[in-house]
Amino acid sequence: MVIASVTAESNERIRTLEYPVVDLSWKRGRAAELLVRACEEFGFVKVVNHGVLRSVIAKMEAEGARFFALPPCEKQKAGPPTPLGYGIRSIGFNGDMGELEYLLLHSNPSYISQKAKTICRKDPIHFSGVVNEYVKQVRQLACQLLDMVGEGLGLQDTRVFSRLLQDSENDSLVRLNHYPPWPGSDRAGGDADREPAAGKSRDKRSGGRIGFGEHSDPQILSILRSNDVDGLQILSAEADDGGVWIPVPADPAAFYVIVGDALQAMTNGRLVSVRHRAMANSCRPRTSTVFFGAPSPGTRITALPQMIRPHAPRRYKSFTWAEYKKAMYSLRLGHNRLDLFLAD
Ligand code: GA4
């Protein structure tokens, strides 16, 4: 597998940490095989040569920048998040807090055109056009990757995952995040000695300021990109010390692919939904855009028969996406919510 490495300080040791990269210009069969290995071992992969047009990405980024630069009272008109809409610091309904502001939108064009009236009052049609085009291209990328996963797993019906994202009732979301800068944070010597303000969270080991806390994504597949400011970290499952946070350097030209809980359940645990978080330590603002590919609410999430074997018995009860969402909104961000659906 092609691996990128990053040197990081963890547990008072300097270590080289690794994460997988797949280049979509490689031969399809080889790329599919490596994609599956990455999703099995990490639940995460950086994808380059992805084919999403740079102009589409740039327009989406510009719309995000324009919105977040509005005065607070203007932004509030697109809130509060219920759970969709504009939010600041508060995440979900159960007291989770982050160091960010965000726009969380349904990917359905009719929802976007309705919501655009509060997000971009000057030109809602332009805003919806930009978001719809971005969603269309990134959904296509997600479907291409899911078809490759189907191939790499040796499934006869290689479209079994991508069909869920193409369903007219699919519940996919798009999220724009803006992590404001933290003044003084990049100065020499770091800032682990600085006390965060009341209620703000910090990683106990590194002292870094957490922008969006540890969690897994509930959906099938998430496709993330960011500006050139670092912050994304993935948790590697290491038996000896309960996991190590791997900082994934920013690359605005790449997309980062995150396996969600629903794909873990459908593959009976063969692909793993990776726990990840975003740090907000930089003296420059970090922005990220995430597409969360989800099925329709009525879709039944259940392990594919080919994934159940004598040595790999059924791990999860089957559930509908609507049932899973109900559970996830009743729980904290960091909860291992799939555990609630473990088979008897
Ligand atoms: C995590 C992944 C996505 O950002 C998200 C988040 C959602 C929200 O912000 O409303 C949740 C979180 C996420 C999982 C648990 C619940 C719901 C916040 C929260 C505490 C949009 C999603 O789908 O699930």
Side-chain angles (χ1 to χ4, degrees):
M1 180 158 38
V2 173
I3 287 280
S5 58
V6 57
T7 317
E9 215 174 308
S10 73
N11 286 349
E12 287 128 35
R13 279 188 289 159
I14 301 279
R15 40 202 291 181
T16 303
L17 302 169
E18 299 179 323
Y19 59 92
V21 183
V22 167
D23 186 329
L24 292 188
S25 66
W26 291 340
K27 251 179 101 197
R28 174 108 175 180
R30 172 146 180 76
E33 187 193 317
L34 296 176
L35 182 63
V36 167
R37 274 183 56 193
C39 294
E40 286 172 335
E41 289 174 32
F42 292 83
F44 174 88
V45 59
K46 171 175 166 174
V47 169
V48 297
N49 286 320
H50 45 68
V52 176
L53 290 179
R54 242 186 300 171
S55 58
V56 170
I57 293 172
K59 283 182 194 157
M60 182 71 170
E61 203 162 67
E63 280 309 301
R66 186 204 49 75
F67 175 78
F68 290 121
L70 290 173
C73 60
E74 281 300 312
K75 291 187 275 193
Q76 299 293 359
K77 289 180 183 155
T82 57
L84 305 180
Y86 170 71
I88 176 157
R89 289 193 200 92
S90 172
I91 299 169
F93 302 118
N94 300 303
D96 289 288
M97 301 298 276
E99 292 299 319
L100 81 164
E101 55 178 340
Y102 59 87
L103 259 180
L104 183 54
L105 307 173
H106 201 280
S107 68
N108 183 325
S110 63
Y111 166 87
I112 289 176
S113 68
Q114 196 51 38
K115 195 72 188 169
K117 295 176 195 154
T118 61
I119 297 172
C120 182
R121 291 202 300 162
K122 274 199 191 133
D123 197 349
I125 293 177
H126 175 74
F127 179 85
S128 354
V130 168
V131 177
N132 288 338
E133 190 53 36
Y134 184 85
V135 165
K136 186 176 147 202
Q137 292 212 9
V138 175
R139 189 200 311 275
Q140 244 167 40
L141 172 63
C143 288
Q144 181 189 345
L145 293 164
L146 287 170
D147 289 347
M148 289 167 70
V149 166
E151 284 163 39
L153 287 173
L155 303 179
Q156 212 169 25
D157 178 7
T158 55
R159 301 250 151 114
V160 63
F161 306 120
S162 66
R163 261 202 305 275
L164 301 176
L165 271 58
Q166 282 157 343
D167 185 324
S168 59
E169 301 288 304
N170 79 86
D171 196 27
S172 305
L173 305 176
V174 61
R175 171 170 211 138
L176 289 96
N177 294 318
H178 172 238
Y179 299 89
W182 195 29
S185 53
D186 282 354
R187 66 167 199 251
D191 45 21
D193 52 334
R194 253 179 62 170
E195 268 314 304
K200 310 227 161 139
S201 47
R202 171 184 284 182
D203 177 51
K204 289 190 191 77
R205 289 190 201 170
S206 69
R209 191 177 71 141
I210 297 172
F212 198 109
E214 172 181 349
H215 66 286
S216 65
D217 289 349
Q219 291 82 0
I220 295 174
L221 204 68
S222 311
I223 311 284
L224 178 151
R225 70 169 294 285
S226 74
N227 66 351
D228 60 350
V229 176
D230 293 343
L232 178 64
Q233 298 189 341
I234 58 169
L235 191 62
S236 83
E238 281 193 9
D240 56 341
D241 55 5
V244 168
W245 285 107
I246 306 175
V248 181
D251 180 353
F255 279 97
Y256 298 96
V257 176
I258 294 170
V259 172
D261 298 341
L263 190 53
Q264 175 166 329
M266 289 182 80
T267 57
N268 202 30
R270 185 156 158 195
L271 307 189
V272 294
S273 69
V274 61
R275 295 184 74 77
H276 56 287
R277 66 183 183 183
M279 305 304 284
N281 290 317
S282 175
C283 61
R284 284 190 300 130
R286 175 167 185 266
T287 56
S288 65
T289 308
V290 199
F291 169 78
F292 301 97
S296 68
T299 300
R300 193 153 277 286
I301 307 292
T302 188
L304 300 175
Q306 305 90 312
M307 297 287 125
I308 297 173
R309 297 271 164 82
H311 64 276
R314 179 181 296 280
R315 257 172 78 168
Y316 306 104
K317 295 175 189 151
S318 93
F319 49 84
T320 65
W321 175 241
E323 285 163 351
Y324 200 64
K325 275 180 71 177
K326 192 169 168 207
M328 95 197 193
Y329 282 120
S330 71
L331 299 166
R332 297 293 296 259
L333 179 64
H335 200 283
N336 276 315
R337 53 194 97 81
L338 252 190
D339 287 357
L340 296 180
F341 296 86
L342 283 170
D344 304 321

